[in-house]
Amino acid sequence: MAVVKSPLSETARTVTGEALQGALVDLVDLSLYAKQAHWNLVGPRFKVVHEHLDEIVDLARQAQDDVAERAVAIGVNPDGRSRTVADRTEIQQLEPGDLADDKVVAAVADALFEIIGRFRGRIAATGEPDPVTQDLLIGITADLEKQHWMFRAQA
Amino acid sequence: MAVVKSPLSETARTVTGEALQGALVDLVDLSLYAKQAHWNLVGPRFKVVHEHLDEIVDLARQAQDDVAERAVAIGVNPDGRSRTVADRTEIQQLEPGDLADDKVVAAVADALFEIIGRFRGRIAATGEPDPVTQDLLIGITADLEKQHWMFRAQA
Amino acid sequence: MAVVKSPLSETARTVTGEALQGALVDLVDLSLYAKQAHWNLVGPRFKVVHEHLDEIVDLARQAQDDVAERAVAIGVNPDGRSRTVADRTEIQQLEPGDLADDKVVAAVADALFEIIGRFRGRIAATGEPDPVTQDLLIGITADLEKQHWMFRAQA
Amino acid sequence: MAVVKSPLSETARTVTGEALQGALVDLVDLSLYAKQAHWNLVGPRFKVVHEHLDEIVDLARQAQDDVAERAVAIGVNPDGRSRTVADRTEIQQLEPGDLADDKVVAAVADALFEIIGRFRGRIAATGEPDPVTQDLLIGITADLEKQHWMFRAQA
Amino acid sequence: MAVVKSPLSETARTVTGEALQGALVDLVDLSLYAKQAHWNLVGPRFKVVHEHLDEIVDLARQAQDDVAERAVAIGVNPDGRSRTVADRTEIQQLEPGDLADDKVVAAVADALFEIIGRFRGRIAATGEPDPVTQDLLIGITADLEKQHWMFRAQA
Amino acid sequence: MAVVKSPLSETARTVTGEALQGALVDLVDLSLYAKQAHWNLVGPRFKVVHEHLDEIVDLARQAQDDVAERAVAIGVNPDGRSRTVADRTEIQQLEPGDLADDKVVAAVADALFEIIGRFRGRIAATGEPDPVTQDLLIGITADLEKQHWMFRAQA
Amino acid sequence: MAVVKSPLSETARTVTGEALQGALVDLVDLSLYAKQAHWNLVGPRFKVVHEHLDEIVDLARQAQDDVAERAVAIGVNPDGRSRTVADRTEIQQLEPGDLADDKVVAAVADALFEIIGRFRGRIAATGEPDPVTQDLLIGITADLEKQHWMFRAQA
Amino acid sequence: MAVVKSPLSETARTVTGEALQGALVDLVDLSLYAKQAHWNLVGPRFKVVHEHLDEIVDLARQAQDDVAERAVAIGVNPDGRSRTVADRTEIQQLEPGDLADDKVVAAVADALFEIIGRFRGRIAATGEPDPVTQDLLIGITADLEKQHWMFRAQA
Amino acid sequence: MAVVKSPLSETARTVTGEALQGALVDLVDLSLYAKQAHWNLVGPRFKVVHEHLDEIVDLARQAQDDVAERAVAIGVNPDGRSRTVADRTEIQQLEPGDLADDKVVAAVADALFEIIGRFRGRIAATGEPDPVTQDLLIGITADLEKQHWMFRAQA
Amino acid sequence: MAVVKSPLSETARTVTGEALQGALVDLVDLSLYAKQAHWNLVGPRFKVVHEHLDEIVDLARQAQDDVAERAVAIGVNPDGRSRTVADRTEIQQLEPGDLADDKVVAAVADALFEIIGRFRGRIAATGEPDPVTQDLLIGITADLEKQHWMFRAQA
Amino acid sequence: MAVVKSPLSETARTVTGEALQGALVDLVDLSLYAKQAHWNLVGPRFKVVHEHLDEIVDLARQAQDDVAERAVAIGVNPDGRSRTVADRTEIQQLEPGDLADDKVVAAVADALFEIIGRFRGRIAATGEPDPVTQDLLIGITADLEKQHWMFRAQA
Amino acid sequence: MAVVKSPLSETARTVTGEALQGALVDLVDLSLYAKQAHWNLVGPRFKVVHEHLDEIVDLARQAQDDVAERAVAIGVNPDGRSRTVADRTEIQQLEPGDLADDKVVAAVADALFEIIGRFRGRIAATGEPDPVTQDLLIGITADLEKQHWMFRAQA
C-alpha cells in the first residue's frame, strides 16, 4: 500500500484500485498494440490508418497516466511494468510481420470493443465507492467509444 | 520480411535489423520503466525526479518510434509487442510498490549505463553495413548519455 | 440503425438516442438563431451583444458535433438536416428584420432557459441507460446555464 | 429594410441584396449538409472523407458570415433562420441513416457544382450595381471551385 | 437571492448554494494560504516547493471562479470578500515569518486532506439536487486529490 | 515622379496616382481621428467604444500602408506628411476635450460614410486604368463599409 | 525578520518594508473586491464590466506577487493571510448580493482613487531609502491610474 | 483534358487555361531563378539581398500552386515539369558562378518587369471568360509589382 | 479639463500635462515622418532602412498611445489631431518625392537628437510634480536614444 | 570557382562538389515532379496522396537549399537553373495530363528508390574528403528512405 | 570615444560610462560563472540548481546587452572582451572540477550580494548625470536582488 | 575527473576531453568576440552586420553549452571561466573602440576560418575514440562553415 493517505475507506480503495489497475493494463497494452500496427502496416490505406493509429496511441498514453496517477492518489500502487502488462493483458495480440490495412482496421475495432466492455464494468463498479474515479473512467470510455465508432465505420 | 524493398544488401539488412530490434526493446522497456518510477515515487525529491522521469519517457518514446520506422524503412519488421518486450528486455526491473527517490535516481543511472553499453555496440556494428542507421543510433546515444550524466550527478 | 456495433443494449440505445437527437435539434437551431440575431442586431449595446452571440454560436456548434458523434458512437444515426431542424425545433423563432439589442438579450435568455429545461430532462433520462452520454449532457448543460446567467444578468 | 444607411442606390441594393440572400441560403444549408454527411458516413474512406467534409463546413460557415454581414452593410437584412433555409434551399437533400463514402463524395461534388452555377450568376448580376459585393462572391466561388475539383477528382 | 432565474427548485438551490459557498471559502483561502507559503518559504527545497505552491494557487483561483460562477448561475450570490473568508475559513492558518520547506510540505498536504474531506461531503450532498454542480465538484476534487498525493509523497 | 519604372502608361498612372493619394490622406487622417476619440472618450459605453475605435485605427494604418506602397509601385510618390494631411483632409474634425460616447459613435459613422463615398468614386475611376489598384480599393472599401454598419447599428 | 540578508540598512528596510506590507494588503483585497463584483454584477453593462473587472484582478494579482517578493528580497516577511487582509484593509467593502453595474463602476473608481493616494505616499516614502522599491511602486501606480481613468470615464 | 467537370464553357476554358499555364511557367522558373541567385550571391549587400530573394521564392512558390490548382479546377491540366519549364520560360537566364549583388538586384527588377507585363496581358485576357481566374491573377500581379518596386528602388 | 479626477494638484497637473502634450506632438509627427521616409526611400540600402524605419513607426505609435493615455489619466485632454500636429511640430520636415537612403539615415538621426533634447527637458520638468509620468518619459527616452545610436552609427 | 575560401583541399572540394551538385539536380527535380503529381492527381485516394506529395515537396525543397548552401560553403557554385535541371535529371519523368493515384504512388516509390541509390553512392564518396558533407547527405537519405517506405507500403 | 553624438555633457558621460563599463564586466563574468557552475554541478539538488543557474545566465546575458548598448548610446565604447573581463572582474572565482550543489548555492548568493553592492553604488552615481541610465540600473538591480533572495533562501 | 562514470575508456576519454575543452574555449571567446563587435560597430552596413553578429552569438552560445555538457557526460570537467578563456583563446582579438563594418566582416570571416581549422582537427581526432562526440563536432562545424561562407561572401 502506497505512502499516500487515502481519502477512501479500505473497502472503497480496494475496489477502486482494482478497477484502475485493470484499466492501466488495458491502456498500456493498447498503446503498444497500436504502435506495433502503426509500424508494420501495409496496404492502399497505409497513410490514413498509420496516422489514425497514432491518435489511439496518444489517447492510450494520456489515459494510462491519468489512471495510474489516480491510483496512487487513492493510496494504491499502480503496476505498469512490461512483465505485468504482458502477463495480464486480455487484448488479442497481433501477429509479427506485415499487417494488412483492412485487417488492422477490423482488429483495432474489435480490440476497442472488448476494452470498452471492461471499462463499462469498471464504471459500474466504482460509482458507489469513488465517484471521482468513476468520472475519470467515463471520460476515457467516451474517447474509446468515439474511436471505436471511427474504426468500425471504415471496417 | 517486410513488403518494403530494401536499399541494403541482404547481409547488411540482417545486421542492421538486429541492432534496431535490440534498440527497440531497450527503448520500449525504458519508457515503461520510467513511467513505473514516475508513478510510484516517494521521498523529499519527489517533484523534481517525478518530472525528470518524464523527460526519459519522452526521449524513449521518440527514439523507439525512430528506430522502429528505420527498421521497416530497410525492410525489417520491428516487434514492439508487450510479450516480446517483457521476454527480451535486459533492463533490471523495478520492484512493485513505493519507490524511494534516491534509489530511483541510482537505478535509472545504472539502467541507462547498461543501455548505453548496448547502444555503443550497435553503433560499432552498423557503421559499415548502414551509416544511415548508425547516425540515428549515435544521436540517440548522445541523448541517453546526457541523461545518464544528469541522473549520475544527483545520485 | 447505424453500421456501428453499439456498446449499449437495444433499450438503452433507444432511450439515449432519442435524448441525443433532441439535443441535436436544439443545438443546431440555437446556432442558427444566434447567428440570425448576430447579423440583424441594432441598438446602443450592439458591439457587446454582437460578439457575445458568437460565443453562443461557438458553444452550440461544438456541442452539436459532440452529441451527433455520441449518437453514432452508440449506433444511432443523428439527423441534423435543415428540414428536420426546421420541423422539430421547439425554440421560439425570431422575427425577420432589425432586432433591438434589449429584446435580443431577453429572448436569448428565455430561449436558453427553455433549452436547459429540456437538457435537464435528458440528463435524468440517460443516467441509468448510459452514464457516458449523461456526462456529456451535464457538461453541455453547465455551459448553457453559464450563458443563461450572463444573458439574464444583463436583461 | 435595415437601419443601416446604404452606400448603394435603391435599385443596386435590391439586386445585390437578392444575390446575397440567395448565397446565404446556399451556404447555411451547405454547412448543415456537410455536417450530416460528416456524422453518418461509412466505408473504407471514412477517415479522409470525414475530415474533408469539415473543410466544407468551415468554408461554408466563414462564407455565410461574410455574405450575411455584407448584406446588412448595404442595408439589407439577411435571413438565415432554419425555416427560411429549409424552405428555400435548392440543394438536393441527403437521405437519413448511414451514407456510403463513395456516394457522399459524388453527391458533394454534384451539390457544389450546382451551387457554383448559382454563384456565377450572382457574380454576373452584382458587377455593375456593387463591385464590392461581386469581389466577395468571386472569392467564395474560387474556394467552392477548388473544393469541387478535389471532390470530383476522387469521385 | 440573485436576479438570475434558477433552473433548480427552491430546495435544491438552497442545498447546492450552501455547498458552493463552502467550497468558495475553502478555495479563496487556499489560494491566499499557498501564496503566503510561496513568499515566506526557506530551506534547501525552496525552488521546487516555491514553484509547486503556485500550481496550488492556479488550481485554487480557477476553481474559485468556477464555483462562484456556478452559484450565480443557479441563482445564489457567492460571497468571497476578505472578511467572509477570514471569518468562515476552516483551514489551519500559517504562522507569520519564515516557513521551513519541510513543514510547509506537510502543512499543505494536511490542509488539502481536510479540504478534500469537505469536498467529498459536498459531492454527496449535491448529487440528487443538482448533478451539474456535482460534476463540477468532482472535477475539482480530482485535482485536489492529485495535489494531495504529490505533497504527501514528498512529505 | 518616383524612380520606379511604372507598369502603367503615363495617363493611367496619373489617374491612379491621384486616387491613391486621395485615399492616403483619408486613411492617415482617419487613424488620427480615431485615436483622438479613443483617448478623449467619456460616457457609459466608454470601454466598448474605446476598444472599437482601435479596430478603426488598425484598419486605417494597414490600409494607408497598402495604398502608399501601391502608389510608389506604380511610380507615384505618396505624400503622408502631417502638413499635407492637415491641409487636404476632408474629414469633419473633432472638437478638443472630452467627447461623449454617443456623439463619437454617430460622428465616426458619418465620417466613414463620407470616406466610403470618396472610395467608391476611386473604384470607379481606376477600373479601366489599373484593375490591380481597383482591387485594392475594393478590399479597403469592404472593410470600411463593414465598420460603417457596425457604428451605424449602435448609433 | 526573514533569513535573507538585506541589501538595505536597518532603517531603510523598516521604512520600505512598511510601504510594501501596506501595498500588499491593498492589492490582495483589491483582487478579492474585484472578483466579488465580477461574480455578483447585474445590469445592462454586465458583459463589459464583468470582463473589465478581471483586468483589475489580473493587475492586482501580478502586483501583489511583485510587492511581496520585493519585501522578502529586502529581508522583510510579507503577510498576505486572509485574517491580516480582512483586519487591515482600508478599502470600502462591497455589500453582499446583487450589485448594479453603474454602482460598481463608481465604487471601483472610488476605491482605486483611495488606493492611488496611499501608493503615492509610499512612492514618496521609499525614494530615499530604496529607489528599487520606489521604481516598482511607480510602475504599479501607473497601472492603477490608467484603470482609474477608465472606470471614471464610464462612471 | 482533366477529369474535372468545368464550370466554364469550352472557349472560356481554353483561353483561361492558356493564361494559367503561361503564368505557371513564369512562376516556377522565377522560383528557380531566385534560388540560383540566393545561393551564388556575393558582394557587400549579400545578407540583405540573400534574404530578400527568399521572399521572391516564397511568393513564386505560393503563386505557382494557386495558378496550377486554379487550372485543374477549371478542367485544364497544368504542366510544371522541369523540361516544360526549361523549354518555355521567357525569363532571361542567369550566368553560372558567382553573381555580384548589384547585378542581381538589377536583373531581378528587370525579370519581374517582364513577368508583370505578361501577367497584365493575362488579366486583360481572362476578365470576360473567367473573372475568378482574373481576380487570382490580379492578386499575384499586386505582389509582383510590390517586389518590383522594392528591387528597383535599391537598384 | 477632462472628466477624470486627477491624482495630482492643479499645478502639478498643468506642468505634467504640458510635457505630455509636447511629447504627443513629437511622437505623432515622428510616426508620420518615418512612414513618409519608409514609402519614398531609394538607394542601395533601401531594404534595410525601409524596415528599420518601421521600428521607429512602431516605437512612436506605442509611445504616443502611452503619453496620451497618461495625460487623460491625470485629468488632461491630449490633442493629437492632424491640424494640431501640423501646426505645433518642431521636427524638420522631409521634402516630397524620392528620398535617398543616406540622406534619410542622417535626417532621422538628427530628428531623433532634437526630439531627445526635448524629452530630456520634460524628464527634468516632471520629476517633482509627477514621478509616474517622469518614469514613462524616461522609458521612451531610452528607446529613442537607442534608435538614435543605431541611425547615427550607420550615418 | 566561388569567391568563398574553402576549408577543403582542391581534390576534396572537387569530389564533394560533384556529389552536392548531383544531389541538387535530384532534389530540385524531385520537388517539381512531386508538384506535377500533386496537381494532376485523380482517383479514390486523391486527398491522401495529394497531401502526402506535399511532404515530398517540403523535404526536397529544404534539402535542395541545404545541399546548395553546403556547396557554396566549401567553395563550389551550385547550379539549380531550370535548363540545368531539365538536362541533367535522371528521374523518370511523368506523363502530362491526369495521373491515376495508384500509378503515382508506385512511380514515386520507384523514383525515390533510384534517388536513394545515387545518394548512397554520394555518402560513400564524401566520407573521406568531407565528413561534414557526408553527415548532411546521411540525414537527407534517412528522410528519403522513410518516405520511400511509406510510398512503397501503400503501393 | 564612440562615433555617436552624446545626449549628455562630457562630465555626465564620463561618470555614466564608468558605471556602465563596471556593470558590463560584472554581468559578463556572472554569465560565465553561472555557466561554469551549471556544467560542473553535482549533488542531490543537481537538477533544480542546474536549471536555476540558467535563469542567472539569461538575466546576465540580457542585462549585459542592455548596459553595453546603453553605453554606446551615450557615446562610450563598451569593452566586453575576454581579456578585459578576466582582468577586471571582482567576482570570487570558482574552483575547477566538480562543484557540490550546496556550495554552489551559497557561492552564487554571495557573488550576487557583492554585485548588488556595486550596482547600488552605480545607481547612486548616475541619478544626477543620467536618470535614463539610472532607471536601467535600477531594473537590473531588482532582478539581481530577486535572484539573491531565492539563492539565499535555499542556502 | 568528474563524478560521472564514463562510457569511454581512459584513453578515449582523455583525447575526446581535450578536443571538447579546446572547442569550449573557441566557442566562449567567439561569443564574446561577436558581442564586442555587435556593440561597437559603425558604418553604412551597421544594421545588417549588427544583427548578423547576433546569429554568431546564438550559434556560439548553443554550441558551447553542447560541448561542455558533452564533456561532463563523458566524465571530463569543462572549464569555461573568464580567466581560462582569456589565457587559452587563440582568436585574434579585436581592438577597443569603434569598429568599422567592413573590417569587422573581414575579421569575423578570418576568425571563423581559423576556428574551423581547429574543429576539423578535432573531428579527425575523435572519430575513433568517440563517434558520438565526433558527430556533435561535425554538426557545429557545419554551422560555422555556413556562417564563414556568409561573412566571406560579403567581405
Side-chain angles (χ1 to χ4, degrees), chain A residues 79-96:
Chain A
D79 186 346
R81 295 172 300 168
S82 52
R83 169 67 46 207
T84 305
V85 174
D87 287 353
R88 299 194 199 160
T89 185
E90 300 180 62
I91 299 176
Q92 171 70 29
Q93 298 296 300
L94 292 164
E95 291 302 301

Side-chain angles (χ1 to χ4, degrees), chain L residues 109-151:
Chain L
D110 289 347
L112 287 171
F113 195 76
E114 296 300 318
I115 292 168
I116 287 164
R118 291 192 289 274
F119 265 79
R120 289 209 160 247
R122 290 166 193 138
I123 290 170
T126 52
E128 196 276 321
D130 186 13
V132 179
T133 292
Q134 188 195 40
D135 192 60
L136 171 62
L137 296 172
I138 283 172
I140 297 170
T141 303
D143 290 342
L144 291 169
E145 290 182 357
K146 182 174 174 182
Q147 288 295 340
H148 171 253
W149 149 50
M150 293 205 282
F151 273 89

Side-chain angles (χ1 to χ4, degrees), chain E:
Chain E
M1 177 186 137
V3 81
V4 174
K5 199 166 151 187
S6 182
L8 303 182
S9 71
E10 186 60 31
T11 314
R13 185 174 56 199
T14 302
V15 171
T16 308
E18 279 169 13
L20 289 164
Q21 176 62 31
L24 179 61
V25 170
D26 265 339
L27 293 164
V28 172
D29 203 38
L30 178 60
S31 70
L32 298 178
Y33 178 101
K35 269 294 180 197
Q36 180 72 5
H38 174 82
W39 296 324
N40 290 287
L41 194 71
V42 296
R45 292 195 273 163
F46 167 81
K47 195 63 170 19
V48 181
V49 178
H50 177 72
E51 291 174 357
H52 197 171
L53 286 161
D54 256 359
E55 295 181 26
I56 300 292
V57 174
D58 288 347
L59 188 173
R61 284 179 176 170
Q62 182 57 55
Q64 77 191 227
D65 217 50
D66 292 343
V67 299
E69 298 198 342
R70 180 72 204 146
V72 73
I74 60 162
V76 173
N77 289 109
D79 186 347
R81 296 172 299 167
S82 52
R83 171 63 51 205
T84 305
V85 174
D87 287 354
R88 298 193 199 162
T89 184
E90 299 179 62
I91 299 175
Q92 171 70 28
Q93 298 296 300
L94 293 163
E95 291 302 300
D98 283 349
L99 298 164
D101 52 12
D102 52 353
K103 289 187 183 156
V104 163
V105 168
V108 170
D110 289 347
L112 288 170
F113 195 77
E114 295 300 317
I115 293 169
I116 287 164
R118 291 191 288 274
F119 266 79
R120 289 208 161 247
R122 290 166 193 138
I123 290 170
T126 53
E128 196 276 320
D130 186 13
V132 179
T133 291
Q134 188 196 41
D135 192 60
L136 171 62
L137 296 172
I138 285 172
I140 296 170
T141 303
D143 291 342
L144 292 169
E145 290 181 356
K146 182 175 175 182
Q147 288 295 339
H148 171 252
W149 150 51
M150 293 205 282
F151 272 89
R152 188 70 73 197
Q154 68 192 285

Side-chain angles (χ1 to χ4, degrees), chain D residues 61 78 109 115 132 150-151:
Chain D
R61 284 179 176 171
I115 294 169
V132 180
M150 292 205 283
F151 273 90

Side-chain angles (χ1 to χ4, degrees), chain F residues 3 35 65 80-81 94 98, chain I residues 3 35-36 65 81 94 98:
Chain F
V3 80
K35 268 295 179 197
D65 216 50
R81 296 171 300 167
L94 293 164
D98 282 349
Chain I
V3 81
K35 269 294 179 198
Q36 178 73 6
D65 215 50
R81 297 172 299 167
L94 292 163
D98 282 349

Side-chain angles (χ1 to χ4, degrees), chain K residues 2-3 29 35-36 38-40 42 50 61 64-65 68-69 77-83 86-87 94 96-98, chain L residues 2-3 29 35-36 38-40 42 50 61 65 68-69 77-83 86-87 94 96-98:
Chain K
V3 82
D29 203 39
K35 269 294 180 198
Q36 179 73 5
H38 174 81
W39 296 324
N40 290 287
V42 295
H50 177 72
R61 284 179 176 170
Q64 78 190 228
D65 215 51
E69 298 198 343
N77 290 108
D79 186 346
R81 295 172 300 169
S82 53
R83 169 65 47 206
D87 287 354
L94 292 163
D98 282 348
Chain L
V3 81
D29 204 39
K35 269 294 179 196
Q36 179 73 5
H38 174 82
W39 296 324
N40 290 287
V42 295
H50 177 72
R61 284 179 176 170
D65 216 50
E69 299 198 341
N77 289 110
D79 185 347
R81 296 172 299 168
S82 52
R83 170 65 49 205
D87 286 355
L94 293 164
D98 283 349

